[in-house]
Amino acid sequence: MKFFIDTANLAQIKEAQDLGVLDGVTTNPSLMAKEGIKGQENILKHYVDICNIVTGDVSAEVISTDFEGMVKEGEALAKLHPQIVVKVPMIKDGVKAIKYFTEKGIRTNCTLVFSAGQALLAAKAGASYVSPFIGRLDDVSTDGMQLIEDIRIIYDNYGFDTEILAASVRHPIHIIQCAKVGADVATCPLSAITALLNHPLTDKGLAQFLADAKK
Ligand code: G3P
């Protein structure tokens, strides 16, 4: 399973890259705003800065909601850097835009996916990635992980090569569950990735080894 980091924070992206396990980055307008990145020029520059830190795919989201607007924005984003994947919302014009980008050889990430039917549409339009939001489903008492399992079955039934990018991952248990049910990618906050490191028996065992080494 690939690990993406879900942030626009350059320091966190660098830290995850330095750990040696990072395969890509996802961003969205909320994450960009959180870092105080404002204005079209600064936003585009920030995407390039991210691409220069990581070696994998970097999702950059369009903010238009009509087909023409998404195409214009997406083409400009795709031209920024070969690692850019254009992130498009799961709406009617978004599906049309994904089809258009696919035919032009521009890679896409279909975002804000909350049902298997939406994931099927994204794959049929040729999305490179589909982003089901696990945590936000859990927030409304719906099993987010069940959605990942359903999409896995559907994509495998028909050999869709759209990658399942589990998004809105909140904690290490989500990551483990994603790996068990066969998500292709989990995009997570840095805290969820580093939490995978921790086990009290590792700390206890290491302390004992170090103490014994002094004997
Ligand atoms: O990748 C989508 C993600 O940023 C949403 O996460 O925690 O805002 O639901 P969250």
Side-chain angles (χ1 to χ4, degrees):
M1 186 174 73
K2 292 180 207 164
F3 277 16
F4 285 7
I5 188 166
D6 194 30
T7 184
N9 182 288
L10 298 181
Q12 289 187 13
I13 293 168
K14 276 196 194 102
E15 188 177 336
Q17 176 71 17
D18 287 349
L19 190 60
V21 298
L22 190 65
D23 300 297
V25 177
T26 51
T27 63
N28 61 39
S30 307
L31 293 171
M32 294 293 273
K34 195 171 160 192
E35 299 309 316
I37 316 295
K38 286 184 199 144
Q40 188 63 358
E41 209 171 303
N42 291 333
I43 289 172
L44 298 183
K45 182 187 170 301
H46 201 76
Y47 287 136
V48 175
D49 289 345
I50 294 173
C51 290
N52 289 335
I53 297 172
V54 297
T55 47
D57 288 346
V58 175
S59 287
E61 188 159 342
V62 298
I63 50 170
S64 299
T65 53
D66 63 296
F67 175 77
E68 287 76 17
M70 283 190 251
V71 164
K72 195 172 164 209
E73 264 188 73
E75 286 181 333
L77 289 169
K79 272 193 200 130
L80 282 178
H81 199 283
Q83 285 165 238
I84 293 283
V85 174
V86 179
K87 205 169 180 189
V88 178
M90 170 36 77
I91 53 176
K92 194 173 180 183
D93 277 25
V95 172
K96 285 165 66 179
I98 289 168
K99 180 72 179 172
Y100 172 90
F101 289 133
T102 303
E103 284 169 356
K104 294 270 175 191
I106 293 173
R107 294 176 306 135
T108 53
N109 174 357
C110 183
T111 190
L112 290 168
V113 165
F114 294 95
S115 77
Q118 291 178 325
L120 181 56
L121 275 178
K124 284 192 70 71
S128 315
Y129 296 99
V130 65
S131 288
F133 278 35
I134 300 170
R136 291 193 195 182
L137 281 169
D138 289 353
D139 288 345
V140 294
S141 307
T142 302
D143 185 357
M145 209 52 61
Q146 183 61 51
L147 176 58
I148 304 290
E149 287 190 60
D150 291 347
I151 300 171
R152 181 76 282 155
I153 291 167
I154 291 168
Y155 284 8
D156 289 350
N157 278 348
Y158 297 100
F160 286 119
D161 54 15
T162 300
E163 293 190 60
I164 303 172
L165 193 169
S168 187
V169 166
R170 304 271 175 79
H171 50 68
I173 300 294
H174 271 156
I175 300 177
I176 303 300
Q177 288 171 326
C178 282
K180 283 171 79 173
V181 302
D184 298 292
V185 189
T187 190
C188 330
L190 180 63
S191 59
I193 298 174
T194 54
L196 293 173
L197 287 164
N198 302 331
H199 199 288
L201 290 179
T202 303
D203 298 339
K204 187 179 171 200
L206 182 61
Q208 184 69 56
F209 286 152
L210 294 179
D212 289 344
K214 285 186 192 144
K215 286 180 186 167

